[in-house]
Amino acid sequence: MTCEDMRTEDNASTITEFVLLGFSDLPNLQGLLFGVFSIIYIIVLIGNSLIIIITRLDAALETPMYFFLANFSSLEICYVSVTLPRILVNLWTQDRSISMLGCATQMCFFLMLGATECFLLAVMAYDRYVAICNPLHYPLVMNHELCLQLAASAWIGGIPVQIGQTCQVFSLPFCGSNQINHFFCDIPPLIKLACGDTSLNEICVYLVIILFAMIPFLLILGSYVKIISTILKFPSARGRSKAFSTCSSHLIVVLLFFGSASITYLSPKSSHSAGTDKLLSLFYTIVTPMFNPMIYSLRNKDVIAALKRLLLKKIVW
């Protein structure tokens, strides 16, 4: 079945739209949640936009590390914008309905950007590996052409597979409840609503998560094993402390993102708890993008210095 076929109803399916229950079980907190998520969205937009602007305007940050960081910040803005604006609309209007096509579109972009995040995190780990373990060869290895190729591969690498997975999920018959006990269209809660055999879909989810999450995660861990072993050989205690600080920050984000996503997608359908799924999803869809600017950049002295230079220019002008 093609994506176009999803727009037409077959004999087994009577559902034309879904209802995102979201946080409807907290009726007295709708206004508070709207305020909290609005602030989070603003923080994500401002924080990540600042990183993009600084890395584009400051010549001192024209390095592969900050090129990938700018890509990562652009990704985080897109990633959050797939889910958070819809959450805000649902909280504000209390109209939680979403069309079948709208749900499929949201899921497809969410999955594609999620795959991009996995790949970019792996690319950033590889960049640090080359910089720390092979510093003399770093300018030669991480040349401009390779950086562009790695970034482009991260952005487009997961598109065909995730489009196929979305079409596969929405080819299932939905003939029972149309209430999705989640705050966005995701695979686990949708599979729970399907009234047909979903074993093939669950197998495909496992295969995709291994390809797009487990393999990059193992590559990241392998890179950091090499990085940490190299850092331990540094003669300067200050140098070791600075390098460990950077590594620990990156690893915290990696574990937070990959850990919560893997638990959500790899656990069997029968063991899924709606409350647990929503809590874990908050980590890798909203919390991580909100803290990424602080973890990756605002603790970085080069970025802070670049931000000060930018502000001074604005004041002088």
Side-chain angles (χ1 to χ4, degrees):
M1 177 175 282
T2 65
C3 287
E4 184 66 24
D5 293 332
M6 293 188 304
R7 302 179 62 179
T8 60
E9 232 178 21
D10 59 27
N11 293 331
S13 177
T14 59
I15 292 176
T16 58
E17 67 175 19
F18 293 103
V19 177
L20 292 166
L21 296 181
F23 303 96
S24 59
D25 55 338
L26 303 170
N28 299 326
L29 298 177
Q30 299 296 294
L32 176 62
L33 288 171
F34 178 83
V36 170
F37 284 125
S38 296
I39 293 171
I40 289 174
Y41 194 36
I42 291 170
I43 291 172
V44 170
L45 293 178
I46 293 176
N48 287 285
S49 295
L50 271 175
I51 293 172
I52 297 169
I53 293 169
I54 292 169
T55 53
R56 293 275 296 184
L57 297 181
D58 198 291
L61 301 183
E62 291 181 356
T63 64
M65 174 182 173
Y66 295 108
F67 169 74
F68 292 127
L69 189 56
N71 271 268
F72 195 72
S73 294
S74 302
L75 169 67
E76 294 298 62
I77 291 174
C78 297
Y79 192 54
V80 172
S81 296
V82 170
T83 57
L84 201 43
R86 182 80 202 188
I87 295 173
L88 293 174
V89 169
N90 292 350
L91 289 170
W92 182 259
T93 64
Q94 297 299 303
D95 179 11
R96 298 182 173 87
S97 61
I98 183 171
S99 67
M100 182 83 75
L101 180 61
C103 191
T105 302
Q106 185 186 54
M107 175 188 285
C108 189
F109 276 97
F110 173 76
L111 294 175
M112 289 189 297
L113 293 171
T116 300
E117 179 143 358
C118 293
F119 292 150
L120 266 181
L121 285 171
V123 168
M124 292 168 74
Y126 175 70
D127 172 70
R128 290 299 84 205
Y129 162 75
V130 177
I132 294 174
C133 299
N134 298 288
L136 297 178
H137 296 93
Y138 182 67
L140 182 63
V141 174
M142 299 303 293
N143 56 68
H144 183 65
E145 184 180 354
L146 179 62
C147 289
L148 288 176
Q149 290 173 350
L150 289 173
S153 299
W155 278 98
I156 67 177
I159 291 177
V161 174
Q162 300 299 11
I163 289 176
Q165 186 166 228
T166 301
C167 291
Q168 185 187 45
V169 169
F170 280 87
S171 68
L172 291 168
F174 297 98
C175 49
S177 172
N178 70 335
Q179 295 185 339
I180 302 174
N181 195 1
H182 211 358
F183 52 84
F184 68 96
C185 292
D186 200 4
I187 292 178
L190 272 164
I191 286 181
K192 289 181 72 172
L193 293 182
C195 50
D197 181 16
T198 61
S199 57
L200 177 61
N201 298 83
E202 292 186 59
I203 292 172
C204 288
V205 169
Y206 295 149
L207 292 176
V208 170
I209 202 73
I210 289 171
L211 178 63
F212 292 120
M214 288 301 177
I215 292 177
F217 179 68
L218 291 175
L219 290 174
I220 291 169
L221 286 185
S223 297
Y224 271 97
V225 168
K226 295 280 189 179
I227 289 170
I228 292 171
S229 64
T230 301
I231 291 172
L232 290 174
K233 299 174 185 176
F234 285 3
S236 167
R238 185 176 179 182
R240 288 196 299 270
S241 176
K242 181 180 179 181
F244 272 125
S245 176
T246 305
C247 292
S248 62
S249 298
H250 189 190
L251 285 174
I252 287 170
V253 173
V254 167
L255 292 172
L256 189 64
F257 177 79
F258 282 101
S260 55
S262 297
I263 293 171
T264 300
Y265 287 97
L266 289 178
S267 58
K269 185 177 72 170
S270 57
S271 68
H272 275 275
S273 163
T276 303
D277 279 353
K278 283 193 276 189
L279 181 62
L280 289 171
S281 298
L282 281 175
F283 278 102
Y284 63 83
T285 59
I286 296 174
V287 175
T288 303
M290 180 179 67
F291 285 112
N292 276 344
M294 290 174 278
I295 292 173
Y296 282 113
S297 301
L298 298 184
R299 293 179 60 191
N300 186 303
K301 292 181 179 179
D302 293 335
V303 173
I304 294 174
L307 180 59
K308 288 178 180 178
R309 287 194 293 268
L310 179 63
L311 293 175
L312 285 173
K313 285 182 182 179
K314 294 293 183 183
I315 292 172
V316 170
W317 290 347

